[in-house]
């Protein structure tokens, strides 16, 4: 994973503006998040974002590319995380090891936020991030329920 430092703020803002994760954020809130509380990383194709049991506590929001999620003990992929979606929320929220591994399906850019940065964020931005995490987890539960029902 390579830290990206030379993308102009205006270009970063353009990327965020296209993603559903940030639809409720004002332009000013997006700018505060980008300038002070997050980092952009490039993960080259087939490289790991994190591995199962890693202690990395960052929330990763996919800006471009795609990430495949899997467990080493299984032969199949558990899912693909696409632009506007996030990964690492379990370790981020519960301060625990990752329960899965994640690898870039293609060259991928992510925005990473630490739990420490989340605490320092202005309340309105922090609450919007929490709301999006809850919405995203709810969508995943609904998809899983539908999948289990269709197999039944």
């Amino acid at each position: 994973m390579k830290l990206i430092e030379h993308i102009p703020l205006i270009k970063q803002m353009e990327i965020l503006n296209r993603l559903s994760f940030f639809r409720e954020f004002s332009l000013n809130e997006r700018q505060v998040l980008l300038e002070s509380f997050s980092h952009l990383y490039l993960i080259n194709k087939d490289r790991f974002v994190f591995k199962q049991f890693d202690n990395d506590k960052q929330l990763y929001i996919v800006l471009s590319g795609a990430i495949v999620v899997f467990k080493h003990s299984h032969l199949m992929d558990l899912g693909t995380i696409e632009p506007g979606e996030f990964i690492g929320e379990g370790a981020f929220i519960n301060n625990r090891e990752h329960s899965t591994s994640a690898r870039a399906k293609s060259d991928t850019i992510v925005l990473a936020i630490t739990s420490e940065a989340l605490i320092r964020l202005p309340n309105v931005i922090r609450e919007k991030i929490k709301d999006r995490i809850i919405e995203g987890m709810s969508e995943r539960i609904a998809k899983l329920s539908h999948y289990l029902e269709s197999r039944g």
Side-chain angles (χ1 to χ4, degrees):
M1 205 167 14
K2 181 179 187 278
L3 181 64
I4 302 173
E5 299 180 283
H6 302 294
I7 297 179
L9 180 62
I10 189 77
K11 187 69 175 164
Q12 293 179 45
M13 293 287 284
E14 287 175 9
I15 294 169
L16 262 56
N17 291 342
R18 291 187 295 227
L19 301 174
S20 62
F21 188 96
F22 299 100
R23 72 175 175 258
E24 302 295 326
F25 291 65
S26 70
L27 288 176
N28 184 53
E29 291 166 349
R30 293 173 194 179
Q31 184 174 348
V32 167
L33 182 62
L34 287 170
E35 289 183 326
S36 305
F37 297 98
S38 63
H39 296 288
L40 295 181
Y41 290 98
L42 170 66
I43 303 116
N44 291 329
K45 183 181 193 273
D46 296 326
R47 303 293 289 186
F48 282 93
V49 181
F50 53 78
K51 294 180 180 178
Q52 188 174 356
F53 307 119
D54 279 355
N55 279 313
D56 171 12
K57 306 289 191 286
Q58 296 187 101
L59 176 72
Y60 296 98
I61 302 167
V62 177
L63 302 183
S64 69
I67 296 172
V68 64
V69 180
F70 63 97
K71 280 196 179 235
H72 289 289
S73 59
H74 296 78
L75 296 176
M76 63 183 235
D77 296 342
L78 300 174
T80 300
I81 309 301
E82 309 225 337
E85 298 178 324
F86 56 85
I87 189 166
E89 71 278 3
F92 178 76
I93 293 169
N94 295 320
N95 196 26
R96 61 172 169 78
E97 299 173 333
H98 287 285
S99 59
T100 59
S101 294
R103 183 176 53 232
K105 197 172 187 176
S106 59
D107 286 353
T108 300
I109 296 175
V110 297
L111 180 130
I113 305 169
T114 65
S115 53
E116 296 81 19
L118 183 72
I119 292 166
R120 294 191 327 268
L121 277 168
N123 285 344
V124 66
I125 300 173
R126 183 173 56 242
E127 290 306 312
K128 287 179 181 181
I129 290 173
K130 287 179 179 180
D131 289 347
R132 290 301 298 136
I133 291 171
I134 291 167
E135 287 175 31
M137 291 174 79
S138 176
E139 289 170 12
R140 288 182 186 166
I141 290 168
K143 284 181 187 175
L144 180 59
S145 294
H146 178 73
Y147 172 76
L148 292 173
E149 287 172 5
S150 69
R151 294 189 64 191

